Amino acid sequence: MTIAKLRTRVKICGMTDPHQVSHAVDHGVDAIGMILHATSPRTIDVARAKQIRRVVPPMVSLVGVFVDCDTNVINQMIAEIGLDFVQLHGAESDADGQSLTRPYIKALRVQNRQHVVDQIKQFPTAAGILLDPYVEGQHGGTGKLLDPNFWPSDSTQNLILAGGLSGENVADRILSLNPFAVDLNSGLEQAPGIKDPRLVAEAMRAIRATY
Ligand SMILES: O=C(O)c1ccccc1N[C@@H]1O[C@H](COP(=O)(O)O)[C@@H](O)[C@H]1O
């Protein structure tokens, strides 16, 4: 028997500032994402990540985003920062994910529907699969929306929709694709890494209206 999902979970990613994290938590976010990949405009160092850890309360998850990082280094960061989940946003394998000390979310940079279906099978132990549109030369944070035709609606994985989501489009996408979770990032920003509190509040309101 399939049980209907009561609500879509929400992750806000690319967070760099503890005050902005507290604001997002107050608005009902389920997960906070931090980019721990050095060349991203949203990257933060371990000291800042630890400050963010201190303001993330119980029942809200803290996710570290990595791109093709050595798994020993990721495990060190998990221990040092106190990450709850890891998001692997590069060319990592399921074996890489299994060598981590926390559950992992695999981000797939989607090129077409068949590519998604084939790729999902390669990550049987992932806690979730995040689908982000493929953009040549960029790992993530592209602001580009995923083509809804590429959404693998019959997958049994926890699917997370990412890419270009904002208060203006997130409710439509939730209602049409029914993802397990949505991941919002550049669509809520004033500048890379700086969230706009009004855009965060507006997106959370739009998401709540879909329940
Ligand atoms: O945001 C980044 O700079 C980034 C860098 C490297 C890997 C992933 C990154 N962000 C992820 O991209 C998606 C979608 O972002 P957007 O909404 O299109 O801006 C999101 O999952 C972020 O975790």
Side-chain angles (χ1 to χ4, degrees):
M1 183 181 71
T2 310
I3 299 174
K5 177 168 55 59
L6 292 179
R7 73 176 178 91
T8 301
R9 265 57 184 181
V10 186
K11 168 170 167 265
I12 298 188
C13 204
M15 299 298 266
T16 60
D17 179 283
H19 294 105
Q20 296 208 327
V21 169
S22 296
H23 175 264
V25 168
D26 289 346
H27 280 77
V29 76
D30 299 284
I32 295 293
M34 305 180 296
I35 311 289
L36 299 168
H37 176 57
T39 60
S40 163
R42 302 173 183 86
T43 193
I44 56 172
D45 61 16
V46 169
R48 177 51 70 99
K50 285 162 101 172
Q51 290 171 7
I52 289 180
R53 169 75 274 177
R54 283 196 279 277
V55 301
V56 175
M59 313 308 164
V60 176
S61 301
L62 186 61
V63 182
V65 179
F66 297 87
V67 179
D68 297 327
C69 183
D70 184 289
T71 54
N72 293 316
V73 174
I74 300 179
N75 279 332
Q76 269 170 22
M77 303 260 252
I78 289 171
E80 203 175 341
I81 299 166
L83 298 173
D84 299 311
F85 289 88
V86 170
Q87 179 174 320
L88 300 177
H89 221 100
E92 304 86 356
S93 65
D94 191 57
D96 292 329
Q98 284 187 69
S99 67
L100 300 174
T101 55
R102 286 289 180 276
Y104 82 97
I105 295 162
K106 182 68 186 89
L108 301 179
R109 296 162 66 217
V110 176
Q111 303 190 40
N112 57 55
R113 196 168 191 287
Q114 194 53 48
H115 174 245
V116 183
V117 172
D118 294 343
Q119 279 291 298
I120 287 178
K121 290 189 198 134
Q122 308 301 315
F123 298 95
T125 72
I129 300 285
L130 182 147
L131 300 180
D132 194 23
Y134 176 83
V135 176
E136 174 84 42
Q138 288 190 53
H139 289 294
T142 65
K144 191 177 168 209
L145 279 167
L146 185 78
D147 182 333
N149 294 312
F150 298 167
W151 187 254
S153 23
D154 40 7
S155 168
T156 54
Q157 275 274 15
N158 293 319
L159 295 181
I160 304 161
L161 175 65
L165 295 173
S166 68
E168 287 182 7
N169 57 30
V170 69
D172 276 359
R173 294 290 162 143
I174 288 175
L175 294 172
S176 59
L177 302 178
N178 195 28
F180 170 76
V182 285
D183 187 320
L184 298 95
N185 180 27
S186 58
L188 306 181
E189 289 180 336
Q190 292 167 350
I194 313 293
K195 296 293 184 274
D196 182 327
R198 282 186 313 111
L199 295 181
V200 170
E202 180 188 305
M204 294 306 290
R205 241 190 330 270
I207 293 166
R208 268 198 306 277
T210 66
Y211 301 169

